[in-house]
Amino acid sequence: MKKVTSIPQIRRGGSETISVEEMNELITTLNEILQSLTTPLVGEGETAQVITPDAAGFKGVHTLGAGSLFLLSSVTALTLGGFAGGFDGRVATIRNNGAQTITLRHEFTGIEEENRISLRTGTTLTITAGSQLALIYDGKSQRWVPLAVGP
């Protein structure tokens, strides 16, 4: 892995910048997550969950149990506002294990702030069937933030 030796000013939120050391830690974590995504999806930390949305295909907050890999599916297209169960540094990989799309809402105001997802796009993010998204919980901002999206 190539180490970062200098970075442009990247802001974590507000005026605080991310140091080179923090960026290297994030890169290391991201590489570990990406390597884990190439291994079979069987083992400790895996939780298969079928989500039941309301009639409009929406579920505000989904509670993540123990573990780090969550296989989610729904019988209809699903929109999620956020995830409960976050703590500083927690990494959760959300894999769409079904045939329907899972759409995540950016900063959905209909749920508690600590369960919200902060997406770089400022809009929504769709996880298609068979794809996954790695999130990390930032305790300072009290938000889930994306680490990587993959097939």
Side-chain angles (χ1 to χ4, degrees):
M1 174 183 72
K2 183 177 178 182
K3 289 283 186 185
V4 174
T5 57
S6 67
I7 56 174
Q9 290 223 323
I10 298 174
R11 303 223 180 262
R12 176 181 292 162
S15 61
E16 185 180 345
T17 58
I18 296 175
S19 69
V20 171
E21 292 78 22
E22 289 175 306
M23 181 58 73
N24 281 322
E25 287 177 24
L26 285 172
I27 290 169
T28 299
T29 301
L30 181 57
N31 283 334
E32 290 170 359
I33 291 168
L34 291 174
Q35 286 176 348
S36 73
L37 296 178
T38 62
T39 59
L41 294 175
V42 177
E44 289 185 16
E46 178 181 330
T47 305
Q49 301 171 340
V50 176
I51 300 174
T52 305
D54 65 15
F58 181 76
K59 180 168 181 174
V61 176
H62 181 69
T63 301
L64 299 176
S68 60
L69 176 61
F70 300 91
L71 307 179
L72 304 184
S73 64
S74 176
V75 294
T76 62
L78 172 68
T79 299
L80 286 170
F83 297 101
F87 53 85
D88 192 35
R90 182 178 188 187
V91 174
T93 300
I94 309 302
R95 179 169 173 80
N96 184 345
N97 206 38
Q100 303 294 328
T101 60
I102 297 174
T103 302
L104 303 180
R105 299 271 306 264
H106 168 73
E107 294 289 344
F108 179 63
T109 58
I111 62 172
E112 298 84 3
E113 286 191 32
E114 66 270 12
N115 296 330
R116 294 180 188 170
I117 304 165
S118 182
L119 300 169
R120 292 180 189 103
T121 61
T123 57
T124 61
L125 187 142
T126 300
I127 307 171
T128 57
S131 294
Q132 59 250 334
L133 169 68
L135 298 167
I136 189 166
Y137 192 82
D138 178 4
K140 185 170 184 170
S141 67
Q142 292 190 316
R143 298 291 190 273
W144 289 99
V145 292
L147 283 174
V149 179

